[in-house]
Amino acid sequence: LCITILQCRPQSQLQVNAAASLPEDLPSGDIVFQTRFVVPEGRIPRVDTILFVPPEGYFKLPSLNLRADLARLIGQLNAALSAEKFICVGPGRWGSANTDLGVPIDYGDIYHASALVELAGQGIGLPPEPSLGTHFFQDLLESQIYPLAIYLDDDKNIFNRAFFYETPNRAAEWHKIPEELKDAVRLVRVADYRADNHIEVVMSDEKGIAIAFLREN
């Protein structure tokens, strides 16, 4: 259930799961990410912004307090982005109380997002499998926030590092970012990577694949 009525997204924003065919013959440069790990059925027709927590920046944070500060910062960015179409991508388990397993956010810190994407693999925290939102699964279900995970070690998966790391960081345009957290959060605008484009995410449970790809506006 949603934490409060105010935190439930409006009905007009809930219609993101209409059936969609998986795109064929996509140029590799158009794919932002692709995963074959426990894929739900659904579609996110438009994403303009990605809130990205770089694994390297997150795990370099030296204290539990700073990791908790990052979680609250993500909550503040979530509020600032309430009118935007965005998803969250970050290392390990979103919502874990153990900060070595992932970012210790609460549902209230991410409820405006359309998806939570967990990055897993060598060098990304401790080895347990992604949680796929089990810490607040019912809230995600009610709000139609899709949980996804990408194993970076699996060569069948795709993660476009240029998109996530080389595109300008817009976070400071939305909220003041403390100096000690600047390497731990990035806001990536799709249009900065490719003008007049957005991202579409198509997920097929039947085929076991989810693809996020660039599409012209």
Side-chain angles (χ1 to χ4, degrees):
L1 299 176
C2 295
I3 289 177
T4 70
I5 293 175
L6 293 176
Q7 288 179 346
C8 294
R9 63 182 61 208
Q11 184 66 25
S12 62
Q13 290 182 297
L14 285 173
Q15 308 307 318
V16 296
N17 63 343
S21 299
L22 288 168
E24 298 180 0
D25 302 321
L26 277 174
S28 59
D30 287 357
I31 300 175
V32 176
F33 64 79
Q34 173 181 299
T35 181
R36 296 177 180 272
F37 182 82
V38 192
V39 175
E41 187 74 26
R43 172 175 171 260
I44 305 172
R46 187 182 186 101
V47 174
D48 293 311
T49 304
I50 291 184
L51 192 163
F52 175 47
V53 177
E56 304 87 348
Y58 175 72
F59 287 112
K60 283 182 181 177
L61 294 176
S63 69
L64 296 177
N65 286 340
L66 280 177
R67 293 179 181 184
D69 289 345
L70 175 65
R72 300 296 80 78
L73 174 60
I74 289 170
Q76 291 158 355
L77 288 168
N78 171 75
L81 292 164
S82 61
E84 295 286 305
K85 298 176 176 65
F86 75 99
I87 64 176
C88 296
V89 178
R93 296 179 171 182
W94 287 104
S96 176
N98 181 344
T99 64
D100 289 329
L101 297 181
V103 187
I105 51 94
D106 296 319
Y107 170 74
D109 296 318
I110 48 81
Y111 64 86
H112 286 305
S114 296
L116 284 183
V117 183
E118 299 180 330
L119 302 178
Q122 187 174 2
I124 300 184
L126 298 176
E129 286 194 345
S131 66
L132 293 171
T134 53
H135 302 291
F136 29 61
F137 183 78
Q138 187 62 34
D139 292 317
L140 300 188
L141 186 67
E142 291 289 333
S143 297
Q144 290 195 358
I145 300 173
Y146 292 99
L148 291 168
I150 305 172
Y151 270 98
L152 300 181
D153 298 338
D154 186 340
D155 58 11
K156 293 180 181 179
N157 295 334
I158 295 171
F159 184 73
N160 187 334
R161 291 185 62 86
F163 175 88
F164 287 96
Y165 285 93
E166 299 176 16
T167 307
N169 184 1
R170 300 287 187 180
E173 298 175 13
W174 291 90
H175 196 277
K176 184 177 180 181
I177 309 298
E179 185 66 31
E180 59 270 22
L181 298 180
K182 286 185 176 179
D183 292 334
V185 64
R186 306 189 87 247
L187 275 185
V188 178
R189 296 287 293 180
V190 178
D192 286 338
Y193 183 78
R194 186 178 296 176
D196 300 319
N197 274 245
H198 63 276
I199 288 172
E200 182 172 336
V201 185
V202 178
M203 297 159 279
S204 172
D205 174 45
E206 178 184 359
K207 296 183 178 179
I209 187 171
I211 305 177
F213 58 95
L214 295 166
R215 171 156 285 184
E216 194 169 357
N217 293 340

